[in-house]
PDB file of all heavy atoms in Angstrom:
ATOM      1  N   LEU O 189       3.045 -13.098   0.211  1.00 98.00           N
ATOM      2  CA  LEU O 189       2.781 -14.083   1.147  1.00 98.00           C
ATOM      3  C   LEU O 189       3.303 -15.539   0.814  1.00 98.00           C
ATOM      4  O   LEU O 189       3.450 -16.362   1.757  1.00 98.00           O
ATOM      5  CB  LEU O 189       1.333 -14.237   1.465  1.00 98.00           C
ATOM      6  CG  LEU O 189       0.701 -13.024   2.237  1.00 98.00           C
ATOM      7  CD1 LEU O 189      -0.780 -12.979   2.017  1.00 98.00           C
ATOM      8  CD2 LEU O 189       1.006 -13.225   3.691  1.00 98.00           C
ATOM      9  N   THR O 190       3.634 -15.798  -0.372  1.00 98.00           N
ATOM     10  CA  THR O 190       4.150 -17.207  -0.796  1.00 98.00           C
ATOM     11  C   THR O 190       5.320 -17.205  -1.572  1.00 98.00           C
ATOM     12  O   THR O 190       5.478 -16.231  -2.363  1.00 98.00           O
ATOM     13  CB  THR O 190       3.005 -17.926  -1.550  1.00 98.00           C
ATOM     14  OG1 THR O 190       2.707 -17.287  -2.713  1.00 98.00           O
ATOM     15  CG2 THR O 190       1.630 -17.858  -0.610  1.00 98.00           C
ATOM     16  N   GLU O 191       6.265 -18.029  -1.466  1.00 98.00           N
ATOM     17  CA  GLU O 191       7.431 -18.202  -2.192  1.00 98.00           C
ATOM     18  C   GLU O 191       7.788 -19.689  -2.206  1.00 98.00           C
ATOM     19  O   GLU O 191       7.143 -20.533  -1.771  1.00 98.00           O
ATOM     20  CB  GLU O 191       8.544 -17.332  -1.597  1.00 98.00           C
ATOM     21  CG  GLU O 191       8.752 -15.997  -2.244  1.00 98.00           C
ATOM     22  CD  GLU O 191       9.241 -16.301  -3.766  1.00 98.00           C
ATOM     23  OE1 GLU O 191       9.793 -17.211  -4.132  1.00 98.00           O
ATOM     24  OE2 GLU O 191       8.854 -15.235  -4.444  1.00 98.00           O
ATOM     25  N   ASN O 192       8.913 -19.956  -3.040  1.00 97.00           N
ATOM     26  CA  ASN O 192       9.536 -21.203  -3.094  1.00 97.00           C
ATOM     27  C   ASN O 192       9.842 -21.786  -1.753  1.00 97.00           C
ATOM     28  O   ASN O 192       9.662 -22.967  -1.451  1.00 97.00           O
ATOM     29  CB  ASN O 192      10.757 -21.315  -4.100  1.00 97.00           C
ATOM     30  CG  ASN O 192      10.270 -21.176  -5.503  1.00 97.00           C
ATOM     31  OD1 ASN O 192       9.385 -21.682  -6.022  1.00 97.00           O
ATOM     32  ND2 ASN O 192      11.163 -20.436  -6.149  1.00 97.00           N
ATOM     33  N   GLN O 193      10.220 -20.826  -0.936  1.00 98.00           N
ATOM     34  CA  GLN O 193      10.824 -21.302   0.414  1.00 98.00           C
ATOM     35  C   GLN O 193       9.709 -21.645   1.355  1.00 98.00           C
ATOM     36  O   GLN O 193       9.897 -22.548   2.296  1.00 98.00           O
ATOM     37  CB  GLN O 193      11.747 -20.115   1.067  1.00 98.00           C
ATOM     38  CG  GLN O 193      12.985 -19.964   0.463  1.00 98.00           C
ATOM     39  CD  GLN O 193      13.003 -19.087  -0.860  1.00 98.00           C
ATOM     40  OE1 GLN O 193      11.884 -18.716  -1.286  1.00 98.00           O
ATOM     41  NE2 GLN O 193      14.108 -18.654  -1.277  1.00 98.00           N
ATOM     42  N   ALA O 194       8.568 -20.961   1.450  1.00 98.00           N
ATOM     43  CA  ALA O 194       7.425 -21.213   2.296  1.00 98.00           C
ATOM     44  C   ALA O 194       6.213 -20.493   1.791  1.00 98.00           C
ATOM     45  O   ALA O 194       6.284 -19.412   1.102  1.00 98.00           O
ATOM     46  CB  ALA O 194       7.948 -20.634   3.663  1.00 98.00           C
ATOM     47  N   TRP O 195       5.071 -21.078   2.231  1.00 98.00           N
ATOM     48  CA  TRP O 195       3.847 -20.514   2.087  1.00 98.00           C
ATOM     49  C   TRP O 195       3.380 -20.045   3.451  1.00 98.00           C
ATOM     50  O   TRP O 195       3.160 -20.817   4.443  1.00 98.00           O
ATOM     51  CB  TRP O 195       2.794 -21.694   1.536  1.00 98.00           C
ATOM     52  CG  TRP O 195       1.497 -21.259   1.304  1.00 98.00           C
ATOM     53  CD1 TRP O 195       0.551 -20.901   2.062  1.00 98.00           C
ATOM     54  CD2 TRP O 195       0.818 -21.163  -0.137  1.00 98.00           C
ATOM     55  NE1 TRP O 195      -0.628 -20.520   1.408  1.00 98.00           N
ATOM     56  CE2 TRP O 195      -0.373 -20.893   0.149  1.00 98.00           C
ATOM     57  CE3 TRP O 195       1.350 -21.419  -1.373  1.00 98.00           C
ATOM     58  CZ2 TRP O 195      -1.310 -20.532  -0.996  1.00 98.00           C
ATOM     59  CZ3 TRP O 195       0.567 -21.125  -2.477  1.00 98.00           C
ATOM     60  CH2 TRP O 195      -0.778 -20.804  -2.159  1.00 98.00           C
ATOM     61  N   ARG O 196       3.155 -18.659   3.616  1.00 98.00           N
ATOM     62  CA  ARG O 196       2.888 -18.089   4.786  1.00 98.00           C
ATOM     63  C   ARG O 196       1.460 -17.739   5.119  1.00 98.00           C
ATOM     64  O   ARG O 196       1.090 -17.325   6.301  1.00 98.00           O
ATOM     65  CB  ARG O 196       3.722 -16.840   4.887  1.00 98.00           C
ATOM     66  CG  ARG O 196       5.079 -16.935   4.695  1.00 98.00           C
ATOM     67  CD  ARG O 196       6.020 -17.559   5.678  1.00 98.00           C
ATOM     68  NE  ARG O 196       7.278 -17.608   5.437  1.00 98.00           N
ATOM     69  CZ  ARG O 196       8.214 -18.320   5.939  1.00 98.00           C
ATOM     70  NH1 ARG O 196       7.925 -19.247   6.976  1.00 98.00           N
ATOM     71  NH2 ARG O 196       9.438 -18.344   5.627  1.00 98.00           N
ATOM     72  N   PHE O 197       0.567 -17.958   4.160  1.00 98.00           N
ATOM     73  CA  PHE O 197      -0.827 -17.616   4.390  1.00 98.00           C
ATOM     74  C   PHE O 197      -1.658 -18.872   4.692  1.00 98.00           C
ATOM     75  O   PHE O 197      -1.647 -19.906   3.956  1.00 98.00           O
ATOM     76  CB  PHE O 197      -1.432 -17.023   3.087  1.00 98.00           C
ATOM     77  CG  PHE O 197      -2.906 -16.900   3.192  1.00 98.00           C
ATOM     78  CD1 PHE O 197      -3.616 -15.878   4.050  1.00 98.00           C
ATOM     79  CD2 PHE O 197      -3.812 -17.642   2.380  1.00 98.00           C
ATOM     80  CE1 PHE O 197      -4.928 -15.863   4.090  1.00 98.00           C
ATOM     81  CE2 PHE O 197      -5.228 -17.537   2.404  1.00 98.00           C
ATOM     82  CZ  PHE O 197      -5.797 -16.651   3.349  1.00 98.00           C
ATOM     83  N   GLU O 198      -2.352 -18.893   5.861  1.00 98.00           N
ATOM     84  CA  GLU O 198      -3.101 -20.070   6.352  1.00 98.00           C
ATOM     85  C   GLU O 198      -4.254 -20.246   5.489  1.00 98.00           C
ATOM     86  O   GLU O 198      -5.038 -19.506   5.141  1.00 98.00           O
ATOM     87  CB  GLU O 198      -3.554 -19.764   7.895  1.00 98.00           C
ATOM     88  CG  GLU O 198      -4.478 -20.829   8.332  1.00 98.00           C
ATOM     89  CD  GLU O 198      -5.347 -20.503   9.545  1.00 98.00           C
ATOM     90  OE1 GLU O 198      -5.685 -19.339   9.690  1.00 98.00           O
ATOM     91  OE2 GLU O 198      -5.501 -21.323  10.306  1.00 98.00           O
ATOM     92  N   VAL O 199      -4.245 -21.503   5.022  1.00 98.00           N
ATOM     93  CA  VAL O 199      -5.403 -22.047   4.117  1.00 98.00           C
ATOM     94  C   VAL O 199      -6.109 -23.107   4.939  1.00 98.00           C
ATOM     95  O   VAL O 199      -5.565 -24.125   5.109  1.00 98.00           O
ATOM     96  CB  VAL O 199      -4.919 -22.476   2.690  1.00 98.00           C
ATOM     97  CG1 VAL O 199      -6.253 -22.943   1.944  1.00 98.00           C
ATOM     98  CG2 VAL O 199      -4.232 -21.396   1.889  1.00 98.00           C
ATOM     99  N   LYS O 200      -7.386 -22.814   5.417  1.00 98.00           N
ATOM    100  CA  LYS O 200      -7.966 -23.836   6.182  1.00 98.00           C
ATOM    101  C   LYS O 200      -8.287 -25.101   5.585  1.00 98.00           C
ATOM    102  O   LYS O 200      -8.232 -26.304   6.168  1.00 98.00           O
ATOM    103  CB  LYS O 200      -9.189 -23.207   6.979  1.00 98.00           C
ATOM    104  CG  LYS O 200      -8.817 -21.906   7.826  1.00 98.00           C
ATOM    105  CD  LYS O 200     -10.197 -21.510   8.365  1.00 98.00           C
ATOM    106  CE  LYS O 200      -9.841 -20.264   9.320  1.00 98.00           C
ATOM    107  NZ  LYS O 200      -9.099 -20.502  10.454  1.00 98.00           N
ATOM    108  N   GLY O 201      -8.544 -25.049   4.277  1.00 98.00           N
ATOM    109  CA  GLY O 201      -8.863 -26.346   3.510  1.00 98.00           C
ATOM    110  C   GLY O 201      -7.526 -27.117   3.273  1.00 98.00           C
ATOM    111  O   GLY O 201      -7.695 -28.265   2.952  1.00 98.00           O
ATOM    112  N   TYR O 202      -6.381 -26.471   3.164  1.00 98.00           N
ATOM    113  CA  TYR O 202      -5.188 -27.226   2.904  1.00 98.00           C
ATOM    114  C   TYR O 202      -4.077 -26.885   3.845  1.00 98.00           C
ATOM    115  O   TYR O 202      -3.149 -26.066   3.615  1.00 98.00           O
ATOM    116  CB  TYR O 202      -4.690 -26.765   1.550  1.00 98.00           C
ATOM    117  CG  TYR O 202      -5.679 -27.125   0.405  1.00 98.00           C
ATOM    118  CD1 TYR O 202      -6.180 -26.023  -0.296  1.00 98.00           C
ATOM    119  CD2 TYR O 202      -6.134 -28.371   0.064  1.00 98.00           C
ATOM    120  CE1 TYR O 202      -7.161 -26.261  -1.344  1.00 98.00           C
ATOM    121  CE2 TYR O 202      -7.034 -28.642  -0.947  1.00 98.00           C
ATOM    122  CZ  TYR O 202      -7.608 -27.563  -1.610  1.00 98.00           C
ATOM    123  OH  TYR O 202      -8.472 -27.866  -2.491  1.00 98.00           O
ATOM    124  N   PRO O 203      -4.185 -27.372   5.149  1.00 98.00           N
ATOM    125  CA  PRO O 203      -3.305 -27.033   6.272  1.00 98.00           C
ATOM    126  C   PRO O 203      -1.855 -27.418   5.879  1.00 98.00           C
ATOM    127  O   PRO O 203      -0.951 -26.951   6.530  1.00 98.00           O
ATOM    128  CB  PRO O 203      -3.921 -27.773   7.393  1.00 98.00           C
ATOM    129  CG  PRO O 203      -4.755 -28.806   6.779  1.00 98.00           C
ATOM    130  CD  PRO O 203      -5.241 -28.282   5.582  1.00 98.00           C
ATOM    131  N   LEU O 204      -1.642 -28.420   5.070  1.00 98.00           N
ATOM    132  CA  LEU O 204      -0.319 -28.926   4.710  1.00 98.00           C
ATOM    133  C   LEU O 204       0.570 -27.746   4.085  1.00 98.00           C
ATOM    134  O   LEU O 204       1.780 -27.790   4.132  1.00 98.00           O
ATOM    135  CB  LEU O 204      -0.298 -30.009   3.782  1.00 98.00           C
ATOM    136  CG  LEU O 204      -0.610 -31.413   4.365  1.00 98.00           C
ATOM    137  CD1 LEU O 204      -0.652 -32.412   3.293  1.00 98.00           C
ATOM    138  CD2 LEU O 204       0.555 -31.739   5.352  1.00 98.00           C
ATOM    139  N   LEU O 205      -0.126 -26.699   3.479  1.00 98.00           N
ATOM    140  CA  LEU O 205       0.633 -25.614   2.823  1.00 98.00           C
ATOM    141  C   LEU O 205       1.460 -24.867   3.852  1.00 98.00           C
ATOM    142  O   LEU O 205       2.542 -24.443   3.597  1.00 98.00           O
ATOM    143  CB  LEU O 205      -0.386 -24.588   2.240  1.00 98.00           C
ATOM    144  CG  LEU O 205      -0.952 -25.147   0.936  1.00 98.00           C
ATOM    145  CD1 LEU O 205      -2.129 -24.199   0.454  1.00 98.00           C
ATOM    146  CD2 LEU O 205       0.160 -25.187  -0.180  1.00 98.00           C
TER     147      LEU O 205
END
Side-chain angles (χ1 to χ4, degrees):
L189 286 160
T190 66
E191 259 301 330
N192 290 320
Q193 289 85 347
W195 185 288
R196 306 287 183 198
F197 171 69
E198 177 192 32
V199 181
K200 296 183 183 296
Y202 302 115
L204 280 177
L205 284 168

